[in-house]
Amino acid sequence: MIGVYRAGNSLLHRTPAGAKLLALLVFTTLLLIFRSPTTMGVGLIVVVLAYALAAYTPVVMLQQIWPMKWIVILLFPFQWWIAGWEAAVVVVGTLVLAVAAAGLVSLTTRTTDLLAVIEWAIQPLRYVRVDPERVALLLTLTIRVVPVINDLVHDVRDARRARGMERSVRAYVTPVVIRTVGYAERLGDALVARGVDD
Amino acid sequence: MSAQSPLQSPPVAPPGSKRFLGARDLALVAAFAALIAVLGLPGTIYAFGSSVPITLQTLGVMLAGSILGWKRGALAVIVFLVLVAAGLPLLAGGRGGLAVFAGASVGYLIGWVLGAAVIGLLVQARLPRYSIWWTGLANVVGGIGVVYLIGVPVLVFKLGTGLAALASAAWFLPGDVVKVVIATFVAAGVHRAYPQMLAPLRNRRP
């Protein structure tokens, strides 16, 4: 499965995932605390510099915020009209800058590295009897299962087409879910056989 | 160690009773997390600048709650969201990464977790009696009520206006009602096929 990550060798790519996540948290929190057009201006400079630091062109940054184009186009004039230009800049700016910054972290960090941070972060859950290794197994297992379920869905879709029931949603979802549960049972048996419960 | 009589039927461990997550629970949670991901792939329709897309993904959330129960159902949604956050483009429209959680629709994603839990709790509360009407009600309360209860205020906060948020909620409502109906009937079919799937809330052990 291809993630959002884009390979590279920039300073940002080499920074540890945990540090980038912490920086993202600080950045978005500051945006929420200091809600002024000045903050947005500084934030924009920071984000643009960060993208440059990752050796990305502004086009890459635009791609990250492109899915929000309609929100920006509709929301900005509306906010301006309701609450003035300062409020419009703050509301739209907070949203766009947070998405751009978060997108940059995902662009420069491998999925496996982010999962490793998550596994590290859930270590304290040991004390409430949650086994972090089991959670890690669950996450990697799911990544493997997604293509299996995808194939299964395609099988059901083909069967439905063969029977001329393309329009029936129930003829689609019911067999998909029954087969998913059946697959999970076999997978569970395989895990038990490999001693996961021992 | 007690020797087991060969005539005794093999012990079927009630789900989740032995430890936090048995191997079979693990497999079910992984399969349903994957199902939620795959349901986001076909026929995505966007509304409001793709900030909140209409997909079958919420159907997956409802199914996880009504079929797996509150604990495993909510966990399946959490696993799905963690993989999205880690950068896999599994959210409808091939979206993924941390940007999704910085966007305006993040409240709906958090609402999915609690929604699945509430659906599961309600369905399990009435077991071993299983009624299709009760499951439908559980899906309305958890799959629509709880999800909107968290999603809409967050959207209002992020967009700074209640109007757009209400408009988007109204836009999604018809689709969500249809999904409740589908989830309810499909869950009933699965419970008929696998009656052992769900344990009542209080584990009554002999």
Side-chain angles (χ1 to χ4, degrees):
Chain A
M1 213 181 319
I2 300 160
V4 179
Y5 173 72
R6 282 204 204 177
N9 198 30
S10 72
L11 181 63
L12 227 55
H13 282 87
R14 283 178 278 135
T15 308
K20 280 183 276 192
L21 283 174
L22 194 65
L24 177 65
L25 195 67
V26 170
F27 179 73
T28 47
T29 309
L30 288 176
L31 283 183
L32 284 176
I33 294 175
F34 304 102
R35 298 172 66 81
S36 76
T38 320
T39 313
M40 298 305 136
V42 175
L44 181 65
I45 294 169
V46 169
V47 171
V48 169
L49 283 179
Y51 269 83
L53 206 61
Y56 288 138
T57 56
V59 176
V60 178
M61 185 178 159
L62 273 179
Q63 281 170 351
Q64 291 301 305
I65 49 177
W66 193 244
M68 303 172 62
K69 56 185 181 295
W70 290 110
I71 274 206
V72 173
I73 289 169
L74 292 172
L75 191 63
F76 192 79
F78 183 78
Q79 282 287 349
W80 194 329
W81 179 52
I82 292 283
W85 72 270
E86 282 143 320
V89 167
V90 168
V91 169
V92 175
T94 306
L95 207 56
V96 167
L97 290 178
V99 168
L104 182 61
V105 174
S106 290
L107 281 172
T108 58
T109 316
R110 280 190 192 85
T111 298
T112 45
D113 292 344
L114 282 170
L115 287 177
V117 172
I118 290 163
E119 279 156 33
W120 171 80
I122 60 173
Q123 290 297 325
L125 287 181
R126 240 179 243 289
Y127 300 106
V128 286
R129 290 182 56 227
V130 175
D131 183 358
E133 267 136 48
R134 200 152 263 259
V135 178
L137 172 65
L138 176 58
L139 290 171
T140 42
L141 192 64
T142 306
I143 296 178
R144 171 67 194 100
V145 174
V146 170
V148 176
I149 304 293
N150 190 39
D151 288 349
L152 183 154
V153 165
H154 280 284
D155 283 353
V156 170
R157 200 178 296 162
D158 290 345
R160 191 173 59 144
R161 197 170 295 148
R163 288 187 297 152
M165 291 179 69
E166 274 163 58
R167 285 171 175 277
S168 164
V169 180
R170 251 177 91 184
Y172 170 51
V173 180
T174 307
V176 162
V177 177
I178 297 269
R179 283 189 198 197
T180 299
V181 175
Y183 171 75
E185 295 223 309
R186 273 173 283 136
L187 182 63
D189 287 343
L191 289 173
V192 170
R194 278 160 185 77
V196 169
D197 267 354
D198 299 337
Chain B
M1 265 188 74
S2 61
Q4 208 165 10
S5 143
L7 286 176
Q8 220 173 340
S9 59
V12 178
S17 68
K18 197 173 158 195
R19 54 162 87 207
F20 160 64
L21 202 61
R24 288 167 209 285
D25 295 329
L26 208 72
L28 276 169
V29 170
F32 271 77
L35 180 66
I36 297 171
V38 172
L39 284 178
L41 299 179
T44 324
I45 311 159
Y46 285 101
F48 210 73
S50 74
S51 76
V52 200
I54 302 178
T55 62
L56 287 176
Q57 226 145 34
T58 39
L59 175 65
V61 172
M62 293 174 190
L63 287 169
S66 6
I67 292 171
L68 299 184
W70 77 271
K71 212 186 272 179
R72 292 174 298 175
L75 191 59
V77 181
I78 292 173
V79 167
F80 167 72
L81 292 178
V82 165
L83 291 182
V84 169
L88 295 181
L90 298 177
L91 207 62
R95 297 174 310 146
L98 293 163
V100 172
F101 294 87
S105 57
V106 58
Y108 288 97
L109 302 181
I110 296 159
W112 284 0
V113 177
L114 286 171
V118 168
I119 294 170
L121 268 179
L122 287 174
V123 171
Q124 281 175 293
R126 265 202 143 189
L127 286 175
R129 281 182 59 215
Y130 184 89
S131 117
I132 204 156
W133 289 108
W134 182 254
T135 308
L137 188 70
N139 272 294
V140 170
V141 172
I144 299 179
V146 173
V147 173
Y148 284 32
L149 206 63
I150 300 166
V152 173
V154 172
L155 199 59
V156 169
F157 172 73
K158 289 263 186 183
L159 301 185
T161 161
L163 204 68
L166 285 179
S168 86
W171 174 268
F172 288 115
L173 197 55
D176 282 342
V177 171
V178 173
K179 282 176 225 167
V180 163
V181 175
I182 299 170
T184 304
F185 278 104
V186 172
V190 173
H191 282 303
R192 257 198 307 277
Y194 298 94
Q196 300 273 323
M197 183 66 78
L198 265 186
L201 276 187
R202 267 169 262 120
N203 258 341
R204 268 169 273 161
R205 265 175 259 174

